[in-house]
Amino acid sequence: MVFGGRSTEHEISVISACQAMAAIDRDKYDVVPVYLSKQGRWFTGDGLADVTAYRNINALLDRSTEVYMRPVYGDYNLYRANAGGLFGAKGPVAKLDLIIPVLHGSNGEDGIFEGVLETIGIPYAGCSTLASANGMDKIIMKMILAADGIPVVPYVWFTDKQWFAGREALAAKVENTLGYPVIVKPANLGSSVGIGRADNRGQLEERVADARRYSSRIIVERLVEQLQEINCSVLGDCDEYRTSVLEEPIKSGEILSYTDKYMGGSKDSRGMHAAAKRIPAELPADVTAEIGRLAGETFRVLGCHGVSRVDMMIDRADGSIYVNEINTIPGSLSFYLWEATGISFAELMDQLVRLALKRKREQASKTVSYDSNIFALGGGVKGAKGCKGAKTAR
Ligand SMILES: Nc1ncnc2c1ncn2[C@@H]1O[C@H](COP(=O)(O)OP(=O)(O)O)[C@@H](O)[C@H]1O
Ligand SMILES: [Mg+2]
């Protein structure tokens, strides 16, 4: 299991992964924790599966082994980073069969890490590079969903450079198409980082200045004032999936904050702080069914895989339902929603493994290269000028 990473949600990832490592059936699976430090270094060791050990991170890493994988197709080994020296231990630390990424936010949930895994060719749980990347960028995600008829709140987007060059026109566009109040978000972060409400031009400018600190892509949405938030987890792949019971997260302020999400509420049975939530959400049967349908459609349209959580918004003023965002690697892997649906955490982990292996089998059945060698045909190859003397690689 791989977790941590260069992300503002580093700690949340560690907590989610430790929960999952505690839940997974150890009679069936050998679990190798792989922790990515905030600097991006990789470590393994049994101590990394214990969330309390992270209080003293330096001591923990001293007890752990620094490792790496090679971006070489078919090489599933975890190599020791410091294998040199006369007395240094030699050989790979472990050979992995499959990877379960439990990374949140940038450099993990956005498809970047999945790209490395695709390069290596190792089966892995969760969304592909494409689905992860599309799900991570709030602008691209909304464009795709809207194009497929899935309701999203009206929005305007721009880059920080566009804002710098044409602030007046963009602010006017926000005012004309959305009107106040609006909510300003960096396009590709999570956990409410850099998000804020604006009620007038001055606040809009302040909020955009804040969001620009985190991302060069900014989205401004109409603010749903009478908001009810409902989340639904989806498990499977885009051909066959099921949806969980719904939850209503409870917030302390207007915007569900980082603190609400991760520090609020009480400690759960695993000793983790659990955010306050109502499960199942109390909603009329038709609204529950419609939210489940939209969550499943969102998962399907974005080409998701494994377990994702779709966060929805109900506008109580008129009953409209909007898809707000998808979390392709949800915090806690949404295990509490699956438990409430009748699937234990251990079973959920089993399903993720099964789905990862299924995808690998399906990929293996697709043609990835033609058995023809155009170089052997002789004569000139178009566009190959300047290749003379190039070194060949095997
Ligand atoms: N259009 C909106 N209207 C009202 N509140 C919103 C809107 N969009 C987001 N929020 C509030 O802000 C929170 C964080 O926004 P979200 O888009 O989910 O970002 P994150 O990826 O940080 O979770 C939501 O949980 C909700 O409380
Ligand atoms: Mg959210």
Side-chain angles (χ1 to χ4, degrees):
M1 190 165 305
V2 179
F3 53 95
R6 295 177 52 243
S7 158
T8 51
E9 291 167 281
H10 178 97
E11 285 79 7
I12 312 307
S13 157
V14 172
I15 295 171
S16 294
C18 288
Q19 289 174 326
M21 287 186 283
I24 203 161
D25 183 348
R26 300 283 182 141
D27 291 336
K28 235 172 164 172
Y29 303 108
D30 286 330
V31 178
V32 180
V34 178
Y35 166 72
L36 310 189
S37 74
K38 284 187 177 174
Q39 289 73 36
R41 292 164 66 186
W42 297 35
F43 294 89
T44 193
D46 290 340
L48 293 161
D50 172 16
V51 76
T52 60
Y54 288 82
R55 285 186 203 135
N56 189 346
I57 184 81
N58 291 333
L60 175 60
L61 295 187
D62 282 346
R63 294 198 302 278
S64 307
T65 309
E66 187 166 0
V67 291
Y68 65 93
M69 289 185 87
R70 300 195 309 152
V72 173
Y73 191 78
D75 185 351
Y76 297 178
N77 286 310
L78 208 51
Y79 293 99
R80 216 174 289 274
N82 306 307
L86 202 53
F87 304 108
K90 301 270 184 322
V93 182
K95 183 170 190 294
L96 307 177
D97 297 308
L98 176 143
I99 289 184
I100 305 179
V102 187
L103 294 158
H104 295 326
S106 39
N107 302 306
E109 196 179 333
D110 52 6
I112 285 177
F113 185 71
E114 287 72 9
V116 173
L117 301 182
E118 291 284 351
T119 305
I120 295 172
I122 190 164
Y124 64 95
C127 287
S128 65
T129 304
L130 178 70
S132 304
N134 286 338
M136 190 70 192
D137 187 288
K138 291 180 163 67
I139 301 162
I140 301 288
M141 177 195 64
K142 288 198 163 77
M143 285 177 179
I144 295 175
L145 295 181
D148 237 68
I150 296 175
V152 294
V153 281
Y155 64 91
V156 168
W157 76 276
F158 43 83
T159 63
D160 61 346
K161 293 212 173 58
Q162 279 177 312
W163 179 259
F164 195 65
R167 175 184 313 211
E168 183 63 36
L170 284 171
K173 184 175 174 191
V174 166
E175 286 159 4
N176 295 334
T177 48
L178 308 176
Y180 294 110
V182 292
I183 184 160
V184 181
K185 309 177 181 180
N188 55 6
L189 282 182
S191 298
S192 303
V193 174
I195 295 186
R197 169 188 178 133
D199 286 276
N200 52 52
R201 174 76 68 103
Q203 287 176 0
L204 177 64
E205 298 201 346
E206 280 168 28
R207 291 307 185 192
V208 173
D210 190 32
R212 282 178 64 188
R213 291 171 40 218
Y214 300 99
S215 173
S216 54
R217 293 161 59 77
I218 292 154
I219 180 165
V220 183
E221 296 172 10
R222 180 170 76 75
L223 185 114
V224 177
E225 292 197 83
Q226 292 182 48
L227 174 67
Q228 182 175 21
E229 294 186 73
I230 303 289
N231 303 339
C232 178
S233 185
V234 189
L235 174 65
D237 57 29
C238 44
D239 299 316
E240 202 182 342
Y241 56 80
R242 58 178 296 186
T243 53
S244 73
V245 296
L246 308 184
E247 75 170 313
E248 180 176 358
I250 312 292
K251 54 190 177 172
S252 56
E254 185 173 44
I255 291 172
L256 201 60
S257 69
Y258 193 85
T259 325
D260 287 334
K261 285 178 191 169
Y262 304 117
M263 325 277 266
S266 53
K267 287 191 173 184
D268 68 12
S269 55
R270 291 166 186 83
M272 307 287 178
H273 278 288
K277 46 179 106 70
R278 200 171 286 133
I279 302 172
E282 287 161 27
L283 293 168
D286 57 334
V287 178
T288 300
E290 178 61 2
I291 287 181
R293 187 187 72 79
L294 287 173
E297 275 289 280
T298 300
F299 187 89
R300 187 185 66 75
V301 167
L302 291 171
C304 291
H305 189 102
V307 67
S308 297
R309 197 190 72 220
V310 182
D311 295 352
M312 328 277 265
M313 301 195 290
I314 301 178
D315 185 345
R316 281 204 174 113
D318 62 3
S320 317
I321 301 170
Y322 302 103
V323 171
N324 178 37
E325 63 159 349
I326 188 159
N327 296 287
T328 52
I329 306 179
S332 309
L333 300 175
S334 300
F335 76 86
Y336 52 90
L337 285 177
W338 291 106
E339 281 181 349
T341 311
I343 294 183
S344 70
F345 201 169
E347 241 174 289
L348 174 65
M349 298 311 293
D350 241 17
Q351 291 278 333
L352 291 180
V353 170
R354 193 185 58 77
L355 285 160
L357 295 174
K358 178 178 171 224
R359 175 173 53 197
K360 183 69 189 170
R361 277 197 306 277
E362 285 169 0
Q363 276 175 345
S365 70
K366 302 281 184 228
T367 308
V368 289
S369 64
Y370 288 107
D371 197 12
S372 75
N373 185 353
I374 55 168
F375 301 114
L377 297 177
V381 178
K382 262 192 205 162
K385 247 202 240 162
C387 280
K388 246 196 246 167
K391 289 209 176 94
T392 52
R394 283 166 192 262

